[in-house]
Every structure is written in structure tokens, then in C-alpha cells.
């Protein structure tokens, strides 16, 4: 669980995660929060929880890099610290991994019969655009590349070097798994999107960087070392 300034939601989402019988461990990486989140984390009393603190804010990708390295259970899933993604969906996410069919499962906000909160059209269009460009480069047919709900066999994600420290991690990981000989599945999940008033932080700059990352982490982009052109953040 990457976590940055989520004081309003972190306690509820941690409770919901720990209520799932499928959770063997919960690794929370606090990414330099300064809004009281750390105090909430310090109060958690559960043997399954490991809290790791970043001294300063480094970004979601950096938080995931830290968390993946610490994981020890056979299957790993990313759970954001807001309430947009529901731990009740873990069973459907983990199903293809447990069945031995999948190495990676993406939870799609654009598939299935589960409830999806209706929110910003331009976010939806941006997501669809980024997913489409990513698919053109990777030749995968995903419906939701940017989803937070990505589940992996632990060896798969620990075998990938995460270079993007912020939201560019989503296209980076997608590009890197696409190059490996893996079985990738998608399942429909529910989505309770939050508004900017509720604390949503992603913005249009993240979208531009995601677009660049799709190209930079493609085989051609890697060969041309396009990453050099990315401003470091
Ligand atoms: N925005 C942001 N989030 C971070 C950072 N480090 C860790 N996170 C966590 O990463 C997760 C995703 O960030 P959000 O701000 O929820 O991003 P979002 O716009 O909701 O994106 P989606 O949930 O993928 O739609 C949350 O759990 C954050 O707390 C950071 O530096 N910035
Ligand atoms: Mg979110």
C-alpha cells in the first residue's frame, strides 16, 4: 500500500484490507506524509502489518519499489490508500493466479457488472487514450493500463526493476511485463473514484509523462535510450 497524505482514508482502508481472509501480509510504505497519516500508521496493531517510512516524498513508483522488495507472500497486489479500490475484489483478482493460469492480473475499471462511480469524462478519455497507445506499443489488449489493481506472482514483480518513481510506474511495469513471456489476465472490478475535493492528486502532467513512458519503455524506446530525455523527478 503506497501511502501519501491519506489521513482521511488510511485507517478505513487498512481495516478493510485486514478484514480480507486472503491477506497474509500488508506492507504500507508511507511516502513522506505530513498530514497525520504517520500517526495513524503508528497506531496499527496487527502482526500482518509492516510499515516502512520514506524520509521524504518520492512518489508512488518509489513507494511500490520499496514495497515489492519487502514482499514475501506468493501473490502481491497493489492497494492504494484511498477508498477507490475495494479489497472485496481480491478474490476475483487473485483467482487466475491461484488457478495457475496467470502470472499477472489487471483489475479493469472499464469491464464487468460491478458498480463504477460516474466521474470525469476527460479522465476516462485520458485513460482510454493512454491504454490504447500502450496497447499499440505492447500488442496487449488491455482495457485499463492505468489501474491501481495489479496483481502479480511475487517472483514476477520482484524480477522487474522499477525505474519510474512517480505515476510513470504504471506504463513502465506494463511495458516490462509485456516483453516477458507471461500469461496476463484482466478481471472486472468495482471503482469508487474520488473527486479532487476528496483528495485526488493525479493531474494532466502525470498524463503527459505516462505517454512519454509508454514510448520510452518500449523496446524501440529502450534501444534509443529515450529515458535520458525524461526529466528526473
Ligand atoms: N499523488 C501521490 N500519491 C502517492 C505518492 N506516493 C504514494 N502515493 C500513493 O499512491 C496512491 C495513488 O495516488 P492517488 O493520488 O490516489 O492517484 P489517483 O489519481 O487516485 O490515481 P488512481 O487511483 O490510479 O486513479 C495513493 O495511495 C497515494 O497515497 C505521491 O508522491 N503522490
Ligand atoms: Mg487513487
Amino acid at each position: 500500500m503506497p501511502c501519501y497524505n491519506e489521513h482521511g482514508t488510511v485507517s478505513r482502508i487498512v481495516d478493510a484490507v485486514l478484514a480480507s481472509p486472503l491477506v497474509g501480509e500488508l506492507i504500507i510504505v508511507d511516502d513522506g506524509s505530513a498530514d497525520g497519516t504517520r500517526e495513524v500508521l503508528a497506531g496499527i496493531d496487527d502482526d500482518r502489518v509492516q510499515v516502512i517510512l520514506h524520509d521524504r516524498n518520492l512518489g508512488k513508483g518509489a513507494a511500490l519499489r520499496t514495497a515489492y522488495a519487502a514482499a514475501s507472500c506468493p501473490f502481491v497486489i497493489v492497494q492504494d490508500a484511498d477508498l477507490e479500490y475495494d479489497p472485496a475484489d481480491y478474490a476475483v483478482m487473485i483467482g487466475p493466479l491461484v488457478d495457475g493460469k496467470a502470472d499477472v492480473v489487471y483489475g479493469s475499471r472499464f469491464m464487468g457488472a460491478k458498480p463504477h462511480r460516474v466521474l470525469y469524462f476527460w479522465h476516462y478519455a485520458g485513460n482510454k487514450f493512454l491504454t490504447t497507445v500502450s496497447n499499440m506499443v505492447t500488442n496487449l489488449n488491455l482495457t485499463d493500463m492505468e489501474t491501481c489493481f495489479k496483481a502479480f506472482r511475487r517472483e514476477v514483480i520482484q524480477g522487474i526493476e522499477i525505474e519510474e518513481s512517480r505515476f510513470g510506474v504504471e506504463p513502465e511495469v506494463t511495458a516490462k511485463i509485456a516483453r516477458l513471456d507471461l500469461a496476463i489476465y484482466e478481471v472486472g472490478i468495482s471503482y469508487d473514484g474520488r473527486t479532487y475535493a476528496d483528495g485526488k492528486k493525479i493531474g494532466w502532467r502525470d498524463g503527459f509523462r505516462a505517454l512519454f513512458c509508454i514510448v520510452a519503455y518500449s523496446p524501440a524506446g529502450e534501444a534509443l535510450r529515450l529515458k535520458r530525455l525524461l526529466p528526473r523527478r
Side-chain angles (χ1 to χ4, degrees):
M1 178 182 292
C3 186
Y4 175 55
N5 287 347
E6 304 284 11
H7 178 257
T9 53
V10 68
S11 143
R12 266 181 298 160
I13 191 65
V14 167
D15 287 349
V17 171
L18 295 175
S20 166
L22 298 170
V23 172
E25 65 181 346
L26 169 59
I27 298 156
I28 305 172
V29 178
D30 184 83
D31 191 36
S33 295
D35 69 338
T37 299
R38 291 191 165 202
E39 289 67 23
V40 175
L41 296 178
I44 300 174
D45 180 20
D46 191 298
D47 290 346
R48 290 171 293 172
V49 176
Q50 181 185 349
V51 177
I52 305 175
L53 304 177
H54 282 175
D55 292 342
R56 61 188 177 89
N57 177 244
L58 297 172
K60 179 177 181 178
L64 292 178
R65 190 186 300 131
T66 302
Y68 291 145
S72 65
C73 283
F75 306 120
V76 176
I77 185 163
V78 181
Q79 173 70 60
D80 280 356
D82 50 32
L83 296 164
E84 298 188 309
Y85 295 82
D86 187 351
D89 287 331
Y90 290 169
V92 71
M93 284 292 299
I94 297 293
L97 295 168
V98 173
D99 293 345
K101 290 195 285 194
D103 301 297
V104 178
V105 180
Y106 277 31
S108 172
R109 296 167 288 179
F110 307 119
M111 262 174 68
K114 299 202 166 167
H116 303 115
R117 180 168 177 187
V118 175
L119 273 176
Y120 310 112
F121 168 75
W122 287 111
H123 267 200
Y124 165 82
N127 266 313
K128 279 290 166 198
F129 175 70
L130 291 175
T131 297
T132 301
V133 179
S134 171
N135 286 344
M136 289 166 71
V137 170
T138 60
N139 197 23
L140 295 175
N141 62 337
L142 294 169
T143 64
D144 190 4
M145 181 274 290
E146 289 278 0
T147 179
C148 144
F149 256 13
K150 293 181 168 75
F152 309 89
R153 282 197 302 106
R154 180 169 53 82
E155 296 78 11
V156 168
I157 193 62
Q158 289 183 337
I160 288 174
E161 184 201 353
I162 309 263
E163 296 168 72
E164 284 297 303
S165 286
R166 294 196 177 266
F167 289 114
V169 66
E170 312 290 2
E172 179 197 354
V173 166
T174 304
K176 289 182 174 177
I177 60 164
R179 285 212 289 280
L180 302 171
D181 184 23
L182 298 174
I184 303 167
Y185 275 65
E186 257 190 345
V187 298
I189 54 161
S190 64
Y191 182 60
D192 200 6
R194 60 178 172 174
T195 63
Y196 283 98
D198 296 333
K200 194 167 187 72
K201 302 179 203 82
I202 212 158
W204 60 270
R205 281 192 198 84
D206 300 301
F208 276 108
R209 188 165 176 111
L211 187 57
F212 197 87
C213 286
I214 291 169
V215 180
Y217 289 98
S218 70
E222 295 270 17
L224 293 168
R225 306 214 309 117
L226 290 181
K227 275 178 292 198
R228 285 172 306 170
L229 305 177
L230 281 169
R232 292 205 69 75
R233 305 195 301 179

